[in-house]
Amino acid sequence: MKSYLGLIPISAKVHRRQNRMTILCIVFAVFLVTAVFSMAELGVRIEADRLLEKHGSQELENLAGSTMAQTLYPIAAVLTLLILIAGVLMISGSINSTVAQRTKFFGMMRCIGMSRQQIIRFVRLEALNWCKTAVPAGVALGIMAAWLLCAVLRFLVGGQFSEIPVFGISITGIVIGSVTGIAAVLLAARAPAKRAARVSPVEAVSGNEKGTGALRHGAKLCLFRVETALGIHHAVSAKKNLILMTGSFALSIMMFLSFSVLVDFVGYLMPQYSDASDIDISGSGGADTVDSGLLDTLSGMEGVKRVYGRRTSFQVPVEISGAAEGFGAAESSGAADLISYDDFGLDCLKKDDMLKKGSDISKVYGDSGYVLATSDADSLLRIGDKVKIGAEELEIAGLLKYDPFSSDGLTHGEVTLIMSGETFIRLTGITGYSLISVQTTGNVTEEDVEAIRAAAGEDCVFSDRRDQNTSGTYRAFAACVYGFLFVITLVTVLNIVNGISMSVSARTKQYGTMRAVGMDGRQITKMIAAEAFTYALSGCAAGCAAGLFISKWLFDVLIAAHFAYAVWELPVNSLLVILLAVILAAVLAVWAPAGRIRKLSVTETIGEL
């Protein structure tokens, strides 16, 4: 060995098990960044193909200024920054714990003449040595994730994605992913390298670093038992470690909440309705001219899964009481559009979560005196308002979150009332349908479709909407986003388990001493659990506070700016998932270190003191 740097590959082999989790953190960071930018570039490529097909090559010059590019790349940059910070905190915490366990090694290196600057260089190069395998592995996983998405879009979704190249390479994703991984390692190694350089030759004798500071007071026992109080004290006494652990967990939660917004974005971009039709049949002679008997005829035909219809009556005079002033003109009278839904349509409104809180759709079924109304942020209608149509008085039992019958989801001051078919017939006397919708089975044939067309007759307008179905595209993008969320959750769990395990390992001698003075295994477990849950709870508090703020910002940029009716709501489900993951990880993190400490020989510990 010609240089002290020759110890780096030897150290990597000796500490392969300890370094495994750190390498895994680097792989995940590079993978996430590479995949995020590859997917962003994929979205821009799709937009470029659309512009080329629609407008010609001259429009490609404006691609960089397009809404797609201006939206995807900044969002990718923000997510990359979060991943970078999370990676730095995770890797730094891991290196810190490794340095704490190798105090004797660095002290011995100082004894044989290694300078502080050489120690710093050694730790940094040792960290960079991990990048030789971690960065290529992360880039490869990111590229394969992009390939998998392209394959799903091309072969399973098809349509506008049928020409997407499956094995495309995103140079942007590769470069930014690699740079992010290396930058995270270099930034993470700064503080641990300086910490290692502070180890003096004298400390090599004991293997204990003096950086823990003088003990000013004992753990407070007024609220907890001694083992619990000691665990909390261990967590909060080491301020730097507490900040690193808390920040690391918080960043993981922030990333999860940020990526969760993408699930909502896909839902707004490609809304999926349970009553979406494959075939529409409408009257050519005006509204409600489709014979109601056609519904029964179609329901028994081959290839038909479900048939349902709607009746409409536009600009019906109504009077509303209980509404705020401003309805119609300055009075509570005006006109409204009436639309009938059968039981399946009403079920779908509830299933698709289209109703505002407080709505009671159960009152609307059958021949009733209740209706639903569309609404938006400027709507004056409220649940409980009375609507008088002719001699009949109805009550608004619920409000839709937006107007599904307008192009932008806004009501624009118009009133649309939704009611059951029986109520509609009672009020208007109209029995014919304005629209009959058909949902086909998965094995429907062209012959089946032609038979449905023939049954509708020439007096009806037949619309085959099967090629407009976006469920495949939605599932592809949703699966991709949920895949990212799974990876982030996995990183969170592994990070917590690794961080707490390393923290406990750094205090092995202290725990051994406690065992030597009479602390049993159950108390050791409770002490480690108290330390772990202190980190977890502080990380949850910080992560949820910052994560919700970022979630709201991303929602405003991605969704609210393009969908006027969109309203941000507290992501309760996402919060529950990530908090349960953190708690589960904390429980798992306690198990292995506690078992290792319980097996520690008391005589061995006494001999080390």
Side-chain angles (χ1 to χ4, degrees):
M1 185 171 61
K2 298 180 180 180
S3 168
Y4 71 96
L5 297 178
L7 289 171
I8 292 177
I10 298 174
S11 176
K13 290 181 180 180
V14 173
H15 301 94
R16 182 179 301 170
R17 184 177 179 182
Q18 294 91 326
N19 296 337
R20 190 178 301 161
M21 190 60 68
T22 307
I23 294 174
L24 197 58
C25 290
I26 302 172
V27 171
F28 278 135
V30 176
F31 158 70
L32 287 172
V33 174
T34 303
V36 165
F37 268 92
S38 296
M39 291 173 61
E41 187 168 331
L42 171 63
V44 174
R45 286 180 183 176
I46 294 174
E47 178 71 1
D49 292 341
R50 187 187 68 82
L51 290 175
L52 184 62
E53 180 180 352
K54 187 175 181 179
H55 301 289
S57 59
Q58 66 273 14
E59 287 292 326
L60 294 180
E61 299 176 2
N62 301 322
L63 183 60
S66 67
T67 302
M68 178 74 76
Q70 291 178 354
T71 300
L72 291 179
Y73 281 131
I75 295 300
V78 171
L79 295 177
T80 297
L81 180 61
L82 289 176
I83 295 169
L84 174 62
I85 298 173
V88 169
L89 290 174
M90 287 189 290
I91 298 166
S92 181
S94 183
I95 299 175
N96 256 327
S97 299
T98 302
V99 169
Q101 295 178 67
R102 296 164 66 195
T103 300
K104 184 175 291 188
F105 169 78
F106 291 115
M108 292 301 297
M109 292 299 99
R110 293 294 310 280
C111 286
I112 61 176
M114 187 180 287
S115 67
R116 290 189 175 184
Q117 196 60 38
Q118 286 177 315
I119 291 286
I120 292 175
R121 187 183 182 194
F122 181 89
V123 174
R124 287 177 176 172
L125 291 178
E126 188 177 39
L128 281 176
N129 186 60
W130 300 330
C131 294
K132 292 193 304 184
T133 54
V135 170
V139 168
L141 287 175
I143 292 174
M144 286 190 288
W147 287 353
L148 178 62
L149 175 62
C150 290
V152 170
L153 291 175
R154 179 167 182 169
F155 299 113
L156 298 184
V157 178
Q160 59 179 319
F161 303 109
S162 58
E163 300 300 325
I164 290 180
V166 175
F167 300 108
I169 300 293
S170 171
I171 302 300
T172 303
I174 293 174
V175 171
I176 295 180
S178 302
V179 170
T180 300
I182 296 172
V185 169
L186 288 175
L187 291 172
R190 284 174 59 88
K194 293 179 179 179
R195 180 180 179 183
R198 288 197 300 266
V199 178
S200 66
V202 177
E203 293 170 43
V205 177
S206 63
N208 290 319
E209 191 178 358
K210 65 183 180 182
T212 56
L215 184 62
R216 300 180 184 274
H217 55 79
K220 296 181 180 180
L221 305 178
C222 56
L223 297 177
F224 308 101
R225 290 179 178 272
V226 61
E227 59 271 17
T228 304
L230 281 172
I232 297 174
H233 178 72
H234 285 164
V236 301
S237 60
K239 300 299 183 184
K240 289 184 178 179
N241 189 57
L242 177 64
I243 292 173
L244 282 174
M245 296 288 284
T246 300
S248 180
F249 301 161
L251 260 296
S252 298
I253 295 173
M254 289 165 60
M255 283 196 300
F256 186 90
L257 292 177
S258 298
F259 273 89
S260 296
V261 178
L262 298 181
V263 177
D264 296 330
F265 177 62
V266 174
Y268 277 95
L269 198 62
M270 293 175 285
Q272 302 298 301
Y273 299 114
S274 301
D275 61 349
S277 61
D278 296 311
I279 295 172
D280 283 343
I281 300 173
S282 57
S284 59
D288 306 303
T289 59
V290 180
D291 185 3
S292 58
L294 180 60
L295 191 144
D296 295 328
T297 302
L298 297 177
S299 60
M301 297 184 65
E302 290 292 330
V304 175
K305 178 181 179 181
R306 186 178 289 109
V307 183
Y308 45 97
R310 291 179 185 171
R311 302 176 176 92
T312 56
S313 182
F314 299 109
Q315 296 299 297
V316 177
V318 299
E319 294 182 2
I320 297 180
S321 60
E325 290 186 4
F327 173 76
E331 303 175 355
S332 59
S333 61
D337 295 336
L338 308 185
I339 299 178
S340 78
Y341 273 45
D342 58 16
D343 288 352
F344 173 71
L346 294 175
D347 291 341
C348 291
L349 290 177
K350 184 176 181 180
K351 182 178 179 181
D352 296 337
D353 192 29
M354 293 181 64
L355 299 172
K356 285 188 174 182
K357 186 177 180 181
S359 300
D360 187 359
I361 195 173
S362 62
K363 297 178 178 179
V364 182
Y365 289 85
D367 191 358
S368 70
Y370 295 90
V371 296
L372 301 173
T374 60
S375 68
D376 55 27
D378 299 323
S379 177
L380 300 175
L381 296 175
R382 299 292 181 265
I383 296 175
D385 287 351
K386 305 296 184 180
V387 181
K388 191 173 183 180
I389 303 176
E392 294 272 358
E393 186 176 71
L394 309 171
E395 181 179 328
I396 297 179
L399 296 174
L400 274 64
K401 295 179 179 177
Y402 58 94
D403 189 345
F405 309 107
S406 68
S407 59
D408 57 5
L410 301 179
T411 62
H412 299 288
E414 301 293 330
V415 176
T416 302
L417 301 178
I418 297 173
M419 59 193 68
S420 68
E422 295 89 339
T423 304
F424 183 92
I425 293 173
R426 187 185 81 234
L427 293 174
T428 65
I430 299 173
T431 58
Y433 288 102
S434 60
L435 177 70
I436 288 182
S437 299
V438 180
Q439 288 183 344
T440 58
T441 59
N443 59 351
V444 64
T445 64
E446 292 300 324
E447 289 77 11
D448 295 333
V449 174
E450 288 302 317
I452 296 172
R453 186 194 299 271
E458 297 182 356
D459 294 334
C460 293
V461 178
F462 186 90
S463 302
D464 189 346
R465 299 168 49 88
R466 288 176 296 166
D467 59 344
Q468 300 177 28
N469 192 311
T470 61
S471 60
T473 307
Y474 173 83
R475 286 195 296 268
F477 278 104
C480 184
V481 174
Y482 280 116
F484 274 113
L485 290 177
F486 173 77
V487 171
I488 293 171
T489 304
L490 181 62
V491 170
T492 302
V493 172
L494 293 177
N495 176 41
I496 293 174
V497 172
N498 177 61
I500 294 174
S501 178
M502 299 288 276
S503 179
V504 171
S505 297
R507 288 194 175 94
T508 298
K509 187 168 292 185
Q510 295 180 32
Y511 290 124
T513 304
M514 293 175 187
R515 284 215 58 206
V517 298
M519 186 175 281
D520 59 29
R522 182 182 58 83
Q523 289 176 306
I524 289 286
T525 301
K526 290 181 67 176
M527 183 166 56
I528 296 174
E531 181 179 356
F533 278 92
T534 300
Y535 294 136
L537 292 176
S538 61
C540 286
C544 289
L548 289 175
F549 175 80
I550 296 176
S551 173
K552 175 65 167 59
W553 175 78
L554 287 174
F555 186 93
D556 290 341
V557 173
L558 274 178
I559 300 174
H562 306 287
F563 302 92
Y565 61 90
V567 178
W568 182 82
E569 296 178 348
L570 188 69
V572 177
N573 292 335
S574 298
L575 283 172
L576 289 177
V577 169
I578 192 61
L579 292 180
L580 286 175
V582 169
I583 294 172
L584 176 62
V587 172
L588 295 175
V590 171
W591 186 259
R596 190 167 64 246
I597 297 298
R598 285 197 301 268
K599 295 176 183 178
L600 189 67
S601 171
V602 176
T603 55
E604 254 184 287
T605 303
I606 295 176
E608 288 288 332
L609 296 177

